[in-house]
Amino acid sequence: MDDVADKDGGQQRHFSDMEKEDSGEYLESPVSDGTIEENFEEQLGFEEGARKSGAIETGQEIEDFSDISKYEIVEVTGDDKCGRKVIVISACKFPSNKIFDHNKFFRYLMYTLDKYVEIDYSLVYFHFGLSSKNKPPMSWLWQTYKAFDRKYKKNLKALYLVHPTGFIKVLWQLFRPAISVKFGKKVMYVNYLDELKQYLRFDQLYIPQQVIEHDKKILEKNSKLPSSQSSTFHTPLENQQFKVTLQFIKDHNNGDPIPPVVRRCIEYLQSPDVLETEGLFRRSANTRDRKSVV
């Protein structure tokens, strides 16, 4: 941890210079070597850290986040095409570091995520607008990532990094030893807003006007490039679950759009006493609670 913090000062100027450039080249999605799994805090011998629940219970009342929420940095904007909640984080909304409490923002972020992480969800991060004036310190970024335990990573199904620059690529390489292959496959670099349409319900997505204008400039700048999809992801499935469309299932299943394996599972669960079977359903315990017992 100390080594990472030491890198902050030496690399800060380098990162700031990189943020001034609008990268026009396509970035490929990162995949780590998987040397450390998602519970890497235990693997490295780190202590749990100072992660706090978003709704900060002081024994009296919940912490007031109105001074953070007013910036609209974090927004919950409908569902993606798979029915998962979409949470948007916009870097252009970050105010100056001189007036912004990043530690309180972290607690607010956890407070927001805690409402949705028990089910599948997707994250969209609009990178445009991050600069040396509003960029969080590297030590804060590392502490934030370390605080995201398995509870948050397990049900995160996709992380879309929109308009990535060289800064994102360097940051990924820095964190790579602590990122598992499984998590790396959830990350997608998106170079143009239009590419989000195949994954998200675009009409429900909240996109800051600054990001829209930036996207137009990139399109104009790269208008001479071949018109092909430039976003990169892990190997995509032709369809979400069974590699065939629902129409195909219906046509080959006597008109029933429900896949046979799903229907059989439902019929089994409706059998007497099945739901009493121990271990059939499992909900992971909170890491902090588990460690307090062990």
Side-chain angles (χ1 to χ4, degrees):
M1 180 62 209
D2 294 336
D3 293 339
V4 175
D6 291 340
K7 293 180 180 179
D8 185 23
Q11 295 181 341
Q12 191 70 29
R13 186 181 298 104
H14 176 59
F15 290 153
S16 300
D17 294 339
M18 296 176 68
E19 281 303 314
K20 296 177 181 179
E21 301 178 1
D22 289 333
S23 176
E25 60 185 54
Y26 302 145
L27 298 180
E28 297 183 355
S29 288
V31 177
S32 85
D33 55 8
T35 54
I36 301 177
E37 291 301 323
E38 292 180 17
N39 60 340
F40 66 93
E41 297 96 324
E42 295 179 3
Q43 299 293 334
L44 295 178
F46 288 142
E47 297 182 359
E48 183 177 2
R51 188 184 77 79
K52 300 180 181 179
S53 173
I56 307 301
E57 298 180 0
T58 61
Q60 299 179 349
E61 58 184 17
I62 297 177
E63 183 173 0
D64 180 15
F65 292 115
S66 58
D67 57 331
I68 301 295
S69 62
K70 69 179 181 179
Y71 293 109
E72 299 181 338
I73 301 170
V74 182
E75 295 284 346
V76 181
T77 58
D79 304 328
D80 63 14
K81 290 189 176 181
C82 297
R84 303 180 294 232
K85 280 297 179 184
V86 176
I87 301 175
V88 173
I89 300 177
S90 303
C92 63
K93 296 284 188 175
F94 277 106
S96 170
N97 289 335
K98 296 180 180 180
I99 63 172
F100 194 60
D101 186 346
H102 286 97
N103 290 327
K104 188 172 184 179
F105 170 70
F106 167 71
R107 298 195 297 272
Y108 171 69
L109 178 61
M110 303 300 273
Y111 168 69
T112 303
L113 292 178
D114 280 341
K115 300 176 183 178
Y116 304 101
V117 296
E118 297 299 336
I119 58 176
D120 293 350
Y121 70 103
S122 298
L123 274 177
V124 178
Y125 170 63
F126 293 117
H127 182 61
F128 174 75
L130 196 70
S131 66
S132 58
K133 295 181 179 180
N134 67 353
K135 182 170 56 183
M138 288 293 296
S139 57
W140 182 87
L141 292 174
W142 174 253
Q143 288 283 6
T144 299
Y145 178 79
K146 196 179 76 165
F148 276 86
D149 56 26
R150 188 173 184 274
K151 167 185 174 182
Y152 299 92
K153 297 172 186 175
K154 178 182 177 182
N155 289 331
L156 173 63
K157 299 305 178 184
L159 171 58
Y160 302 96
L161 304 179
V162 184
H163 300 142
T165 63
F167 172 77
I168 292 291
K169 193 172 184 179
V170 172
L171 192 65
W172 184 271
Q173 292 299 321
L174 184 63
F175 286 1
R176 182 174 179 176
I179 299 176
S180 69
V181 172
K182 183 177 180 181
F183 184 80
K185 290 181 177 180
K186 299 178 181 181
V187 178
M188 178 179 186
Y189 288 158
V190 180
N191 292 295
Y192 302 117
L193 290 177
D194 190 64
E195 295 168 355
L196 287 174
K197 293 181 179 179
Q198 60 182 308
Y199 308 107
L200 310 176
R201 301 187 187 280
F202 210 66
D203 58 330
Q204 298 180 5
L205 192 62
Y206 172 74
I207 306 176
Q209 187 60 38
Q210 302 99 304
V211 175
I212 295 176
E213 294 298 325
H214 176 66
D215 189 72
K216 291 179 180 179
K217 292 180 180 179
I218 294 179
L219 286 172
E220 293 176 358
K221 180 179 180 180
N222 299 327
S223 60
K224 296 182 180 180
L225 296 177
S227 57
S228 61
Q229 180 179 331
S230 63
S231 62
T232 53
F233 205 15
H234 59 87
T235 304
L237 298 176
E238 296 178 1
N239 292 277
Q240 183 61 26
Q241 297 296 338
F242 300 99
K243 295 192 176 182
V244 294
T245 63
L246 289 178
Q247 186 61 47
F248 180 90
I249 295 176
K250 185 176 180 180
D251 293 342
H252 295 78
N253 193 34
N254 298 321
D256 189 354
I258 301 178
V261 63
V262 176
R263 184 168 295 282
R264 290 171 186 169
C265 287
I266 294 175
E267 292 174 351
Y268 175 77
L269 293 175
Q270 290 175 338
S271 301
D273 301 327
V274 167
L275 294 182
E276 301 299 326
T277 304
E278 184 177 353
L280 187 60
F281 294 101
R282 182 180 66 87
R283 179 176 177 180
S284 300
N286 181 276
T287 302
R288 180 176 53 189
D289 295 339
R290 187 179 71 249
K291 287 185 176 181
S292 65
V293 173
V294 176

